[in-house]
Amino acid sequence: MTWIASLLALPLLFQAQTQVETPAEAPQEPERTYETTRVVIETTMGEITVDLETERAPITAANFLRYVDEDRFGGTKCYRAMHLKWGEPPNGLLQCGTQMDPKRVLDGIAHEPTNETGLSHTDGALSMARYDPGTATGDFSIMIKDQIGLDAKPSAEDPAQRPGFAVFGYVVEGMDVVHAIHAAKIDPDKGEGFLKGQLLASPVEIVDMRRVEVDASK
């Protein structure tokens, strides 16, 4: 039966006098909760609280926590604000971290693609900056609006798009601070290549990062 025929048959179905029992809805399983670790990013413009996906992205989250625990982020900067020209502003990402400082960076880590972790570059997601897969160290970005084009695309024709970037956490408080930093003045002359026009004139300092306990009663 074509979809047109099915549509025309609807009035006949409604006229039928046969009592049809509505099938009982199957019980829904409770949504699974994954293990996370909470971290506060203290900047000179305010605090950003994030939950790191230690269960779903264990390698990437553990790497970030090592930087936190060894105080490798203290004194680093939020330095890049990428503004996308489509969609309602603000739209883009904010990038922060070690900027390849040899005194701070550790060895690169194995890449955890989003098609394996089940995570996505939605609004407030934290994602590792990298060159080739396996080179992520101590630089990360915070998504402003959904940027799911950065997710893994295993079937993409372009091999460079297949791995995507590694999401490892989400902002749970302080997106207003993220937006404020992202809106800071850009220096049009700073940077080279794709970074030109995306670097903050006065990068915002990360004063400290620290783990915090989550109040289970809330």
Side-chain angles (χ1 to χ4, degrees), residues 106-120:
L106 302 166
D107 291 339
I109 57 171
H111 181 59
E112 291 181 305
T114 55
N115 62 304
E116 294 181 5
T117 63
L119 304 172
S120 182

Side-chain angles (χ1 to χ4, degrees), residues 10-55:
L10 283 176
L12 299 176
L13 293 175
F14 290 143
Q15 292 171 13
Q17 299 300 313
T18 305
Q19 183 69 31
V20 179
E21 294 185 4
T22 303
E25 293 186 4
Q28 295 184 349
E29 295 184 4
E31 186 176 348
R32 181 177 173 185
T33 301
Y34 294 92
E35 181 180 342
T36 59
T37 297
R38 184 158 294 181
V39 167
V40 169
I41 303 172
E42 181 186 348
T43 79
T44 52
M45 290 184 66
E47 292 186 350
I48 304 163
T49 304
V50 301
D51 280 351
L52 305 183
E53 295 283 348
T54 46
E55 181 176 353

Side-chain angles (χ1 to χ4, degrees), residues 38 213-218:
R38 184 158 294 181
E213 295 295 327
V214 178
D215 187 349
S217 66
K218 294 184 179 179

Side-chain angles (χ1 to χ4, degrees), residues 111-119 148-165:
H111 181 59
E112 291 181 305
T114 55
N115 62 304
E116 294 181 5
T117 63
L119 304 172
I148 59 174
L150 299 176
D151 288 353
K153 302 177 184 64
S155 60
E157 292 185 9
D158 182 356
Q161 293 184 343
R162 294 172 189 167
F165 291 82

Side-chain angles (χ1 to χ4, degrees), residues 120-135:
S120 182
H121 288 81
T122 52
D123 188 33
L126 276 73
S127 178
M128 292 305 298
R130 62 165 178 81
Y131 295 106
D132 294 327
T135 62

